Amino acid sequence: FLYESAGSVVILVLLFKLKLKPGGLFLTWLFLYNLMRFFLEQLRIGSVIHWGIRVNGVISLVLVVIALVWYIKYVQPNSQNS
């Protein structure tokens, strides 16, 4: 709980300093938060494991990939036009 709270505060400070557009802001938060969650899930003792894989970690990585693809496809091309 302490690591997640500290990580969330760090992400909040980063998001305030970056001054992104609303779409980029959400996707950056989605990427950073789930990246943090992936690493925190590796520290957790009572995680749900199927076939030797931590389910919460896999879901976090899937959301990291979705955020990256969405950012590259929709947000980044619009920033070049500005």
Side-chain angles (χ1 to χ4, degrees):
F1 181 73
L2 178 64
Y3 293 135
E4 186 174 357
S5 298
S8 294
V9 169
V10 169
I11 290 170
L12 178 68
V13 170
L14 276 172
L15 291 177
F16 275 127
K17 289 188 178 207
L18 290 177
K19 298 186 195 286
L20 299 168
K21 294 178 182 178
L25 181 68
F26 171 71
L27 292 172
T28 304
W29 171 81
L30 187 66
F31 173 79
L32 291 174
Y33 181 77
N34 284 293
L35 191 63
M36 176 191 70
R37 289 290 303 175
F38 171 75
F39 289 112
L40 290 178
E41 287 301 326
Q42 305 312 310
L43 299 174
R44 189 168 290 198
I45 293 173
S47 293
V48 177
I49 299 175
H50 289 291
W51 301 296
I53 300 171
R54 294 180 190 264
V55 175
N56 295 339
V58 171
I59 292 170
S60 294
L61 282 181
V62 167
L63 289 171
V64 164
V65 170
I66 288 171
L68 279 175
V69 169
W70 196 0
Y71 185 84
I72 291 169
K73 190 170 183 178
Y74 295 109
V75 176
Q76 193 174 19
N78 293 338
S79 65
Q80 293 174 355
N81 294 336
S82 299

